[in-house]
Amino acid sequence: MLKWSLQLHKWLALVVGVQVLFWVAGGVVMTAIPIEKVRGEHHKATFQLPPPDLSVAKSPAEVAAAAGLAPTEATLKSSLRGLYWILKTPDGTTRAFDAVTGKAAPPVSEGEVRQLAGSAYEGAGKPVAVRYFSAAPQETGREGPMWRVDFDDAERTALYVSPDTGEVVSRRSNLWRFYDFFWRLHILDFKDGENFNHPLIIALAVLTLPMVITGWVLLVIRLGRDAKRLRRRPAVS
């Protein structure tokens, strides 16, 4: 039992030892850093938008008919810019319309983006850069065009703003990216950071189980031997 446990434990540790280190390191990071800080909630403005006056809003059917669309999904959004219907078409694209006038939402300007992001941010940082992306960066978890406003606080907070509604759709920072790096190491998905059921991680988990079991076997054997030595040691008078 000792021989086979020792050999199996040693070779399995050579195969999965590095990943076990990543799992433990990732666990330390994910438990030591409050998730609220990772999400940037401590820099979220505390003010609340007043309840929208839905009596002045057109129905999504009216807005879609006027635009000549046959949407598969309609979502009502309220932001500092106003009340908007977000219509999703069968091909997966989305379009924003003013819920009061029914007209297509005018694009948000750079100056307006800076103002909207500043209103949604709370902290010592100031907006220092505004950039427009025709395709949202992967870290946003979104698709389509996106504005990004960078702040000069300690975490280097970045707010991603919808070019249609002006709402903040994602909050990212260097702390978030640090956390995300260890999360990807933890699940070994460096592409999207979402798949923790892929064959590689399953195989490593399966191999780690017997490594842990043989480790316990070796520990029990070692403790048993130590106990025997203690019992055989002559008593000191």
Side-chain angles (χ1 to χ4, degrees), residues 66-168:
L69 299 175
T72 58
E73 185 179 312
T75 306
L76 190 62
K77 293 276 189 179
S78 178
S79 71
L80 289 172
R81 222 180 172 218
L83 198 59
Y84 290 91
W85 279 111
I86 310 298
L87 303 183
K88 187 174 183 179
T89 57
D91 63 358
T93 59
T94 57
R95 294 181 60 185
F97 294 87
D98 189 306
V100 178
T101 66
K103 296 180 179 180
V108 181
S109 67
E110 180 177 333
E112 194 175 6
V113 166
R114 184 183 290 269
Q115 182 180 9
L116 291 168
S119 299
Y121 172 89
E122 187 173 281
K126 303 294 181 185
V128 292
V130 180
R131 285 185 282 176
Y132 178 80
F133 294 89
S134 57
Q138 184 191 39
E139 70 176 14
T140 65
R142 305 280 179 153
E143 296 181 351
M146 196 74 63
W147 283 101
R148 169 173 161 166
V149 181
D150 294 316
F151 290 78
D152 61 356
D153 55 23
E155 298 98 335
R156 292 296 186 266
T157 300
L159 302 188
Y160 287 94
V161 180
S162 165
D164 296 323
T165 65
E167 65 174 331
V168 174

Side-chain angles (χ1 to χ4, degrees), residues 2-71:
L2 175 62
K3 178 181 177 181
W4 283 107
S5 294
L6 184 59
Q7 291 297 319
L8 186 59
H9 186 80
K10 178 177 67 176
W11 289 108
L12 287 175
L14 286 174
V15 176
V16 301
V18 174
Q19 183 55 35
V20 170
L21 176 63
F22 290 161
W23 282 336
V24 175
V28 170
V29 169
M30 287 182 278
T31 54
I33 303 176
I35 192 63
E36 293 79 12
K37 281 199 170 184
V38 174
R39 293 171 179 164
E41 294 178 10
H42 59 303
H43 286 313
K44 194 172 184 179
T46 54
F47 80 94
Q48 296 291 328
L49 288 170
D53 184 4
L54 300 181
S55 64
V56 300
K58 295 180 180 295
S59 70
E62 289 179 280
V63 175
L69 299 175

Side-chain angles (χ1 to χ4, degrees), residues 214-231:
T214 53
W216 275 104
V217 170
L218 293 172
L219 177 63
V220 170
I221 293 173
R222 180 58 184 268
L223 290 176
R225 287 183 173 182
D226 289 346
K228 287 181 180 179
R229 289 195 189 99
L230 289 174
R231 287 196 296 268

